[in-house]
Amino acid sequence: MVACSIAVATAKKYGLTISIGALSWGMAVFFTLYSTMSIKICKVTFLLLAGLVAYSSGAIFTRLATTTVEDPQVGFSLFLSASRLVIASLVAIPAWKGFRKAKYSSQSLKYSVFAGLGLAGYLATWMLSLSYTSIAASTALVNTHPVWAIFLAWWWFRDKPRRAALVGTGFALAGSLIISLGGPAQSMVGANPWLGNGLALVGALSNGLYILLGHYAQKNGVKLQHHIVVAYAAAAVVLLPLPLWLHAGYGGYPKITYGCVLLLALIPQLLGHGCFNWALGWVKPQVLSVVILGEPMVASLLGYWTFGEVQGIEVVVGAVILLFGVAIATISQHQPRSTATATQRLEPVSSQLS
């Protein structure tokens, strides 16, 4: 995280070459320090960092795809999200193994199906938000999903959050407000930050619903891999007809557009979440949640390198405050209690996100 911050600062002042050098230096120092520890720690650290970079590239490939068409509309964003889900569903076909033998109850599977509806809403609104607001603002706001999951659990399942979670939510709301008051990033054409930021928040809410229902699906006995494939399938069924309904369709786009769609499925989805899934075998979920909060910083750095997108001071300050609040709220929910609650056991389940 520190290396990324140094790289962004030097990029603004001295340019891309020195910023890459700063990032390389930071990474070299980081891994040198870890070289004195066990090989296992080095491997986990490397996979977490690799997963974070791959996960953060989703915003970049989405923005790249929108630049390949003259006038991207809502239908095009739905085409991107639906295509990504279809590819992910096809790749996940082996995970259906043993599904029939498991004999899940219809009530348990309902959680996974409705989680898929949340996943569909998350992808559709967040990917559309990248057409209207900056990469930093969009990724920071959509990363408020742990807060939304906590409060949805409170409202829906009467799982009262801790006081620290409420404090963290206050910081997150303050950061969101500061981001919303900021202007569009340089290099953005036809940006509408208020619309884009609002779409990102709707995406965060939908993502929080996806996470919450995924938790309860697993709590009711559905295996993780089976929950994922059911949710993917449900989301794909919902999204697939929407581009056609809006007369966007699935054909007639440049080859580079389809290349971006393929990269969206392979890098953020398979590589990013694959690294996170593996790392969950060695680190606690709250540690992974905090690592994933680095997405806005990494995505912003990638956005600067790719699009020359420079953030306003409001977005930078707001994102720091927002992510600080989300970190407080997320970690507080994993502290041990004398009486266990569903909210305590609610994992960020970021490894399930698409």
Side-chain angles (χ1 to χ4, degrees):
M1 306 304 175
V2 175
C4 289
S5 300
I6 295 174
V8 171
T10 53
K12 290 181 179 179
K13 189 171 183 180
Y14 300 106
L16 178 61
T17 303
I18 299 180
S19 72
I20 295 175
L23 181 62
S24 302
W25 171 81
M27 295 289 285
V29 171
F30 189 78
F31 283 112
T32 300
L33 291 174
Y34 268 95
S35 65
T36 60
M37 302 181 185
S38 68
I39 298 298
K40 184 182 294 183
I41 293 178
C42 290
K43 185 182 294 184
V44 171
T45 303
F46 173 78
L47 284 175
L48 283 174
L49 291 175
L52 178 61
V53 174
Y55 181 74
S56 304
S57 68
I60 306 303
F61 292 129
T62 301
R63 177 68 66 78
L64 279 173
T66 60
T67 62
T68 62
V69 296
E70 293 184 0
D71 186 22
Q73 299 292 332
V74 175
F76 180 74
S77 295
L78 291 172
F79 153 73
L80 291 178
S81 54
S83 300
R84 176 179 176 176
L85 272 174
V86 168
I87 296 174
S89 298
L90 292 175
V91 173
I93 285 177
W96 285 97
K97 184 178 180 181
F99 181 81
R100 288 187 176 181
K101 293 182 179 180
K103 296 182 179 179
Y104 299 119
S105 67
S106 58
Q107 181 64 33
S108 299
L109 292 177
K110 281 181 182 178
Y111 285 117
S112 295
V113 171
F114 283 105
L117 301 184
L119 175 60
Y122 154 60
L123 284 178
T125 53
W126 173 65
M127 296 179 82
L128 181 60
S129 76
L130 289 165
S131 298
Y132 298 103
T133 192
S134 68
I135 291 172
S138 177
T139 53
L141 291 170
V142 84
N143 267 287
T144 59
H145 59 81
V147 172
W148 291 107
I150 290 170
F151 280 89
L152 283 170
W154 187 11
W155 172 69
W156 201 344
F157 297 102
R158 300 295 185 266
D159 294 328
K160 189 175 181 180
R162 290 168 173 261
R163 184 175 301 177
L166 299 177
V167 173
T169 300
F171 278 105
L173 291 175
S176 300
L177 179 61
I178 294 172
I179 291 173
S180 298
L181 294 176
Q186 295 177 20
S187 83
M188 291 186 65
V189 179
N192 187 339
W194 281 96
L195 176 58
N197 294 340
L199 287 167
L201 283 174
V202 173
L205 175 61
S206 300
N207 201 1
L209 180 65
Y210 169 59
I211 292 169
L212 178 65
L213 294 179
H215 165 73
Y216 278 97
Q218 294 174 66
K219 182 181 175 183
N220 280 271
V222 180
K223 292 182 179 179
L224 174 61
Q225 67 268 26
H226 293 157
H227 161 69
I228 291 175
V229 293
V230 170
Y232 281 9
V237 168
V238 170
L239 289 176
L240 266 176
L242 296 183
L244 300 173
W245 182 57
L246 293 174
H247 307 291
Y250 288 89
Y253 296 109
K255 291 181 180 179
I256 191 173
T257 305
Y258 296 106
C260 290
V261 171
L262 182 61
L263 290 174
L264 271 170
L266 296 180
I267 297 182
Q269 179 65 42
L270 294 181
L271 179 59
H273 297 297
C275 290
F276 289 157
N277 275 323
W278 188 92
L280 271 176
W282 304 100
V283 300
K284 295 179 179 180
Q286 58 266 42
V287 174
L288 180 59
S289 297
V290 174
V291 169
I292 291 175
L293 290 180
E295 181 196 3
M297 289 176 276
V298 177
S300 298
L301 184 60
L302 294 174
Y304 175 84
W305 288 347
T306 309
F307 307 106
E309 186 175 289
V310 179
Q311 307 303 322
I313 187 64
E314 300 94 338
V315 173
V316 175
V317 172
V320 171
I321 295 174
L322 181 152
L323 296 175
F324 176 70
V326 172
I328 292 176
T330 302
I331 294 174
S332 70
Q333 292 304 105
H334 289 272
Q335 299 302 318
R337 271 180 174 167
S338 56
T339 302
T341 65
T343 308
Q344 171 197 334
R345 298 187 299 272
L346 174 61
E347 296 181 1
V349 202
S350 299
S351 60
Q352 301 175 27
L353 304 181
S354 287

